[in-house]
Amino acid sequence: VSLGGADAATVADAVRRRTTTARAVVADALARIEKRDAELNCFTAVLADRALAEAGRVDRVVAAGGDPGPLAGVPFAVKNLFDVAGLVTLAGSIINRDRPPAARDAWAVRALARAGAVLVGALNMDEYAYGFTTVNSHYGPTHNPHDRARMAGGSSGGSAAAVAAGLVPVCLGSDTNGSIRVPASFCGVFGLKPTYGRLSRAGVALFSPSLDHVGPLARSVRDLACAFDALQGHDPDDPVSSARAPEPVSPQLAAGAAGLRVAVADGHFAAAAEPEALAAVADVAGALGARRRVSLPEVARARAAASLITASDGATLHLADLRSRPRDFDPRTRDRFLAGALVPAAAYVQAQRFRRWFRDRVRDVFRDTDVVITPTVPFVAPLLDQEHARIDGTDIPVRSHIGVFTQPFSFIGLPALSAPVVRPGRLPLGVQLVGAPYREAEILRVAATLEAAGLLAAPIAPASAS
Amino acid sequence: MRLPEPDDTTALAAYVDASAALLGLRLDPDLRPGVIEHLAFLGRAMALVDAFPLPEEVQPGPVFEP
């Protein structure tokens, strides 16, 4: 049985029912990676021996009448800032090559393995996650599978591109200002940034601990939900890990969007974007019958505060290397890290205080709203070397504008997902669905409804496109 | 707390040199302009956040469990 284009749920079902084996599925994935990754540059490490051995263990559980879990035999890969036992955790840098290999897998990697999934490799990213492009000077750019001349987005670009090209059905990424949602949108896949603190970051090379999240990317809503459910749970090794009990969302998907109060964000979120990004939002809102608009206050200031916290947190983590070996940083991140180190403490604390204020105002919005729709990004994937975009007759620097719609929500830790809208013959674009804290189920229910209605889909980018 | 006005590059450069020295960061001459440029960007962000009046009771509330 060929399951090359199947989503994770289909693969796991076939493995559990023994119509295929995990070993065959994993061997298939390894062959696809071997065939196609040379032109995409998603992977920085492929773990064939480990993957085949783990797949063999899954098959033995099935053969013995046991249940390896809801992701039985599903191949997955992780952004190379997740610890993988025996691998050096690069986080997109060459500096980290001097560190010893990780002693064990990150918490999230272990959680997916407990659900039966099989790790096949580690993926490219912007150095230390500081970027929205995955144009990495050390390891080369990851190409967008829908058009190789374009960027995959970042910083979880390897993760999004690997899913979009059908190399694996599920990947893990991390998101500080948009780093799961942006590449998900550019590459045309689903990407979920859960509530801050909901999923453990233990064993992840952090970028800005105040704002860092981990989450899954996949080609269907049910896969995203299944991976999210497997990843839930309190972990004392992450100081911000929520003590809330896991709340599985997969059983809730069938409830649909009925009864949910959905609104479209206006103001900041309806400006400075290409008309097609706003049209995608309008189409989705129309299908849901969502006519209400909501406004969020002081969004530009929220972005400014998020940028200050990111720069300060990030620089502090890398201060020793910034002192001793600044020339080993990627030139694309180095100036920003160095400048971040010089931000006065008072400005940092003020940004953290503003975060509290903004959180309270947006909580007010969610008192009578369950899900807010915005564009994920202002435009389709730019060309790899593109510096400027023209919007509303104004030249805008691409890199600092990519996160304009994602950054305000990671700033206050709200669950948000990017969902790929159906646009035959055109480059991918995502819409962003944002929920109240810990209400991942509601944004996933809306996404499932739109997917069932044919408005969202993540078809595999054909090899001919690249 | 205010940095020199971001468009005042002389003052900003002086701040960069002094604060980098305080932190033990050596800025080679070819790296210095890029750092000044990015600190100017962050300086505009600081000015934006700083200009917003926050009541005293709005505090970050970090979680620390002894």
Side-chain angles (χ1 to χ4, degrees):
Chain A
V1 183
S2 172
L3 291 166
D7 71 351
T10 306
V11 168
D13 185 55
V15 169
R16 291 161 109 179
R17 295 186 322 136
R18 301 176 74 170
T19 56
T20 187
T21 64
R23 257 187 93 87
V25 168
V26 167
D28 232 31
L30 292 168
R32 285 196 300 275
I33 294 164
E34 171 74 25
K35 189 173 167 203
R36 205 164 166 201
D37 194 50
E39 62 175 26
L40 296 176
N41 195 32
C42 302
F43 282 81
T44 53
V46 178
L47 305 164
D49 292 344
R50 170 183 164 153
L52 290 168
E54 283 187 9
R57 273 199 291 280
V58 170
D59 287 331
R60 282 194 295 279
V61 170
V62 176
D67 183 359
L71 292 168
V74 171
F76 76 102
V78 297
K79 187 175 185 176
N80 72 25
L81 50 62
F82 286 85
D83 281 353
V84 174
L87 281 189
V88 173
T89 307
L90 295 173
S93 74
I94 55 170
I95 289 169
N96 285 27
R97 283 182 191 160
D98 295 346
R99 296 186 179 186
R104 67 169 183 167
D105 293 344
W107 196 92
V109 175
R110 283 182 276 136
L112 289 187
R114 275 198 302 276
V118 176
L119 181 71
V120 300
L123 301 157
N124 200 17
M125 57 183 282
D126 292 276
E127 186 184 61
Y128 295 129
Y130 210 167
F132 283 131
T133 65
T134 313
V135 177
N136 183 305
S137 302
H138 311 304
Y139 301 99
T142 292
H143 298 266
N144 191 310
H146 291 273
D147 180 349
R148 283 195 67 237
R150 292 177 186 272
M151 60 178 70
S155 60
S156 310
S159 306
V163 170
L167 305 183
V168 285
V170 176
C171 283
L172 292 180
S174 66
D175 188 317
T176 305
N177 290 297
S179 281
I180 287 173
R181 293 160 288 161
V182 163
S185 180
F186 285 172
C187 291
V189 302
F190 293 90
L192 172 66
K193 183 205 77 62
T195 309
Y196 183 69
R198 190 89 198 231
L199 303 184
S200 170
R201 309 167 304 178
V204 173
L206 297 178
F207 166 29
S208 170
S210 305
L211 304 172
D212 289 334
H213 310 65
V214 300
L217 298 96
R219 285 196 298 107
S220 68
V221 176
R222 63 180 184 171
D223 282 5
L224 208 61
C226 186
F228 173 66
D229 287 344
L231 291 163
Q232 288 192 56
H234 176 62
D235 177 13
D237 287 338
D238 180 348
V240 306
S241 173
S242 165
R244 293 171 77 98
E247 298 168 74
V249 296
S250 296
Q252 302 181 54
L253 293 182
L260 295 179
R261 299 163 297 176
V262 182
V264 174
D266 63 12
H268 172 92
F269 298 94
E274 289 286 358
E276 59 182 337
L278 302 176
V281 170
D283 289 349
V284 162
L288 292 166
R291 280 180 289 278
R292 212 156 58 81
R293 309 241 149 205
V294 291
S295 289
L296 276 57
E298 301 293 343
V299 179
R301 248 184 269 274
R303 290 194 67 215
S307 296
L308 288 167
I309 292 170
T310 303
S312 296
D313 274 356
T316 305
L317 280 176
H318 299 292
L319 197 52
D321 290 321
L322 290 168
R323 283 191 184 113
S324 63
R325 50 195 299 192
R327 296 203 167 269
D328 292 336
F329 282 77
D330 188 327
R332 292 170 183 277
T333 71
R334 181 174 49 213
D335 294 349
R336 287 184 290 160
F337 276 125
L338 285 166
L342 307 181
V343 171
Y348 178 82
V349 175
Q350 193 70 1
Q352 289 282 16
R353 292 181 66 214
F354 186 79
R355 183 189 191 193
R356 174 73 177 272
W357 181 89
F358 188 64
R359 182 203 71 169
D360 289 347
R361 297 293 83 71
V362 179
R363 273 188 179 181
D364 290 343
V365 170
F366 276 95
R367 269 185 230 290
D368 58 4
T369 306
D370 298 308
V371 175
V372 172
I373 311 174
T374 81
T376 305
V377 285
F379 33 60
V380 297
L383 297 167
L384 281 165
D385 59 355
Q386 190 174 332
E387 299 278 340
H388 292 89
R390 208 162 172 77
I391 295 176
D392 288 343
T394 311
D395 254 354
I396 288 178
V398 160
R399 277 180 207 152
S400 58
H401 196 62
I402 288 176
V404 65
F405 302 135
T406 52
Q407 188 174 29
F409 299 111
S410 28
F411 179 49
I412 48 170
L414 299 186
L417 71 82
S418 181
V421 296
V422 170
R423 291 159 43 91
R426 297 156 77 190
L427 288 166
L429 253 182
V431 292
Q432 180 172 230
L433 306 175
V434 184
Y438 306 106
R439 302 277 181 79
E440 285 86 356
E442 295 179 355
I443 55 176
L444 284 157
R445 279 167 55 195
V446 170
T449 301
L450 292 165
E451 183 187 42
L455 275 89
L456 306 176
I460 290 174
S464 57
S466 43
Chain B
M1 66 170 277
R2 192 73 64 79
L3 276 176
E5 284 300 311
D7 53 358
D8 183 349
T9 47
T10 313
L12 195 64
Y15 174 84
V16 164
D17 292 339
S19 58
L22 185 65
L23 272 175
L25 288 170
R26 194 190 70 245
L27 294 183
D28 291 343
D30 61 316
L31 303 184
R32 198 165 159 271
V35 176
I36 293 168
E37 184 188 326
H38 281 286
L39 199 66
F41 166 77
L42 291 171
R44 288 190 288 275
M46 286 178 221
L48 203 54
V49 175
D50 190 47
F52 190 76
L54 285 175
E56 221 172 291
E57 64 271 19
V58 175
Q59 293 297 326
V63 176
F64 179 83
E65 291 179 24

